[in-house]
């Protein structure tokens, strides 16, 4: 079965990592022939090259570029995939246009954010799919609430390759709090910074620092906020870093997302790296984390409650160890293999004529 995976992401984020994991699994599974279509400067290209996975190039990252549209049409006409699977909103646009113009293939869309679909083309391009896969039950419900037929929808949580993460920790003279992710509004780093300002008021806390690994549109704004709150000496903005480089440096991992979250990879990476996790109570996060079992949960946007959760982990090593042990067990439910296996079942079901 020939599968064309389409991704127009500009930077390596969780969605791009899922495309790579899925392409790799398909390439290793008899009966599947994956091809990945990406822009010429896609961050996926080095990973695909390293695995010897076939990929075809699009001229740009735009879904409105006529050359991109023409190139995708030619790819589909030449390779005749059984399934075209999109992994971002722009890719969904291109593939929906190809479906309308060419037909001849089944169309799968993955939806990774919990924002509602806007009326018009934003809705129609997703409705054109034969299957819409949400990466959380929350997102699946949002799709149904937006008018997508429920029978077209399903949930497949994102996975990680847990073997890529080290459970060892590097020694530091001070406690290290950390966060990893794009510096965008939805990730809630401003809540973390406010929580760290609260943390400075706790006299009983040991010396600490915070590492923020990520880049994005709020980089300078967050640095200014940290300076304004007197935190310049304890917060280190690292810019983009692979989470595997940063997690061995972190003693307590915070995930302060405020909205739009999918199936948060950083939570799973924290589990895989034997790091206690604290996360906001967004519905999608609660599909992963059970309070006081495999993480601590704080009320969304509540900086003081986040600070108290950090203090609690620091003061209660037994609790921290429990969270780590249960997190290690939890990550086995969200592996790249289990994710890919579920997509393969979906592909096979779409390729089988209904009786």
């Amino acid at each position: 079965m020939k599968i064309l995976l389409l991704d127009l992401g500009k930077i390596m984020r969780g969605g791009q990592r899922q495309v790579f994991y899925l392409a790799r699994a398909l390439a290793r599974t008899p009966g599947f022939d994956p091809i990945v279509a990406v822009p010429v400067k896609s961050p996926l290209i080095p990973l695909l090259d390293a695995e010897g996975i076939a990929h075809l190039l699009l001229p740009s990252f735009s879904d409105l570029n006529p050359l991109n549209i023409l190139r995708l049409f030619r790819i589909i006409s030449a390779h005749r995939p059984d399934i075209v699977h999109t992994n971002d909103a722009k890719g969904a646009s291109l593939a929906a246009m190809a479906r309308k113009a060419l037909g001849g293939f089944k169309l799968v869309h993955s939806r990774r954010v919990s924002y509602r679909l806007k009326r018009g083309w934003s809705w129609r391009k997703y409705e054109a799919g034969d299957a819409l896969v949400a990466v959380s039950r929350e997102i699946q419900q949002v799709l149904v609430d937006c008018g997508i037929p429920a029978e077209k929808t399903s949930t497949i949580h994102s996975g990680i390759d847990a073997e890529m993460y080290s459970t060892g920790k590097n020694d530091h003279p001070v406690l290290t709090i950390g966060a990893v992710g794009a510096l965008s509004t939805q990730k809630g780093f401003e809540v973390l910074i406010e929580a760290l300002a609260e943390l400075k008021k706790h006299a009983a806390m040991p010396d600490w620092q915070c590492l923020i690994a990520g880049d994005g549109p709020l980089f300078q704004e967050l640095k200014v906020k940290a300076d304004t709150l007197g935190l310049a000496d304890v917060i280190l903005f690292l810019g983009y870093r692979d989470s595997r480089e940063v997690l061995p440096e972190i003693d307590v991992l915070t995930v302060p997302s405020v909205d739009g979250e999918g199936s948060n990879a950083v939570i799973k990476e924290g589990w895989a790296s034997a790091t206690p996790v604290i996360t906001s109570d967004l519905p999608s996060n609660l599909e992963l984390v059970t309070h006081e079992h495999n993480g601590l949960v704080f009320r969304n946007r509540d900086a003081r409650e986040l600070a108290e959760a950090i203090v609690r982990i620091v003061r209660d090593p037994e609790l921290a160890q429990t969270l780590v042990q249960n997190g290690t067990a939890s990550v086995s439910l969200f592996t790249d293999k289990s994710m890919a296996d579920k997509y393969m079942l979906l592909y096979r079901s779409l390729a089988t004529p209904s009786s």
Side-chain angles (χ1 to χ4, degrees):
M1 186 184 302
K2 189 170 289 186
I3 311 295
L4 176 63
L5 300 174
L6 177 61
D7 183 82
L8 271 67
K10 287 185 177 181
I11 60 176
M12 181 60 71
R13 299 182 67 174
Q16 286 64 50
R17 184 70 62 180
Q18 297 306 301
V19 174
F20 169 68
Y21 288 151
L22 180 54
R24 183 176 66 179
L26 291 169
R28 295 175 178 178
T29 303
F32 288 98
D33 180 15
I35 303 171
V36 184
V38 292
V40 290
K41 295 184 179 180
S42 168
L44 279 168
I45 292 173
L47 295 176
L48 298 171
D49 283 340
E51 287 287 329
I53 297 171
H55 56 276
L56 301 170
L57 300 180
L58 301 169
S60 79
F61 292 98
S62 172
D63 56 336
L64 301 177
N65 185 334
L67 295 178
N68 251 17
I69 298 170
L70 180 60
R71 174 62 172 154
L72 181 63
F73 283 18
R74 287 176 173 172
I75 288 172
I76 291 172
S77 296
H79 293 271
R80 297 187 178 279
D82 300 289
I83 306 279
V84 174
H85 181 175
T86 77
N87 290 275
D88 66 306
K90 291 182 179 180
S93 292
L94 283 181
M97 286 186 271
R99 173 64 177 273
K100 185 175 179 63
L102 303 174
F105 59 87
K106 297 291 186 178
L107 179 57
V108 176
H109 295 307
S110 286
R111 180 74 173 168
R112 305 186 186 280
V113 292
S114 60
Y115 301 120
R116 292 182 62 85
L117 300 178
K118 296 178 182 178
R119 294 181 179 180
W121 177 240
S122 178
W123 182 86
R124 292 198 303 274
K125 69 186 180 186
Y126 282 101
E127 199 277 334
D130 296 285
L132 281 78
V133 179
V135 299
S136 70
R137 293 189 300 275
E138 179 194 14
I139 296 174
Q140 183 181 5
Q141 187 59 54
V142 168
L143 291 172
V144 173
D145 291 345
C146 288
I148 300 297
E151 61 272 17
K152 285 188 176 185
T153 69
S154 61
T155 295
I156 299 177
H157 273 278
S158 301
I160 68 165
D161 183 350
E163 295 181 359
M164 296 172 62
Y165 296 85
S166 170
T167 58
K169 293 295 179 184
N170 297 332
D171 290 332
H172 287 288
V174 298
L175 172 76
T176 301
I177 302 157
V180 180
L183 303 188
S184 58
T185 302
Q186 76 181 81
K187 295 300 183 181
F189 285 100
E190 71 282 356
V191 178
L192 172 59
I193 292 172
E194 291 166 6
L196 296 176
E198 291 289 331
L199 202 62
K200 260 202 161 183
K201 301 174 185 177
H202 286 265
M205 277 286 291
D207 291 341
W208 56 269
Q209 64 178 352
C210 179
L211 305 181
I212 295 180
D215 203 352
L218 298 185
F219 188 90
Q220 288 300 326
E221 181 178 326
L222 292 171
K223 288 192 71 174
V224 169
K225 185 178 184 71
D227 291 347
T228 302
L229 293 176
L231 300 171
D233 60 329
V234 291
I235 299 181
L236 300 177
F237 288 89
L238 304 178
Y240 174 78
R241 294 287 189 279
D242 190 308
S243 58
R244 291 171 295 174
E245 300 174 15
V246 179
L247 288 167
E249 313 292 336
I250 293 174
D251 301 306
V252 181
L253 178 64
T254 64
V255 183
S257 312
V258 295
D259 65 20
E261 198 61 84
S263 182
N264 194 291
V266 175
I267 291 173
K268 300 159 198 165
E269 291 170 343
W271 290 339
S273 62
T275 310
V277 174
I278 304 171
T279 186
S280 63
D281 65 353
L282 290 180
S284 56
N285 290 341
L286 296 181
E287 293 180 34
L288 307 177
V289 176
T290 300
H291 185 54
E292 298 181 341
H293 174 70
N294 54 7
L296 293 185
V297 176
F298 69 95
R299 284 177 294 182
N300 188 19
R301 303 179 189 269
D302 192 327
R304 182 169 296 179
E305 197 166 296
L306 171 53
E308 291 171 354
I310 295 170
V311 171
R312 187 178 175 195
I313 285 180
V314 172
R315 291 182 176 176
D316 191 344
E318 185 174 338
L319 171 63
Q321 186 58 32
T322 296
L323 301 181
V324 166
Q325 290 174 347
N326 292 332
T328 300
S330 297
V331 78
S332 65
L333 303 174
F334 301 99
T335 65
D336 58 325
K337 183 180 184 304
S338 65
M339 176 272 295
D341 286 346
K342 290 171 184 174
Y343 273 114
M344 286 186 240
L345 285 174
L346 174 63
Y347 296 156
R348 291 188 181 105
S349 72
L350 291 173
T352 303
S354 301
S355 57

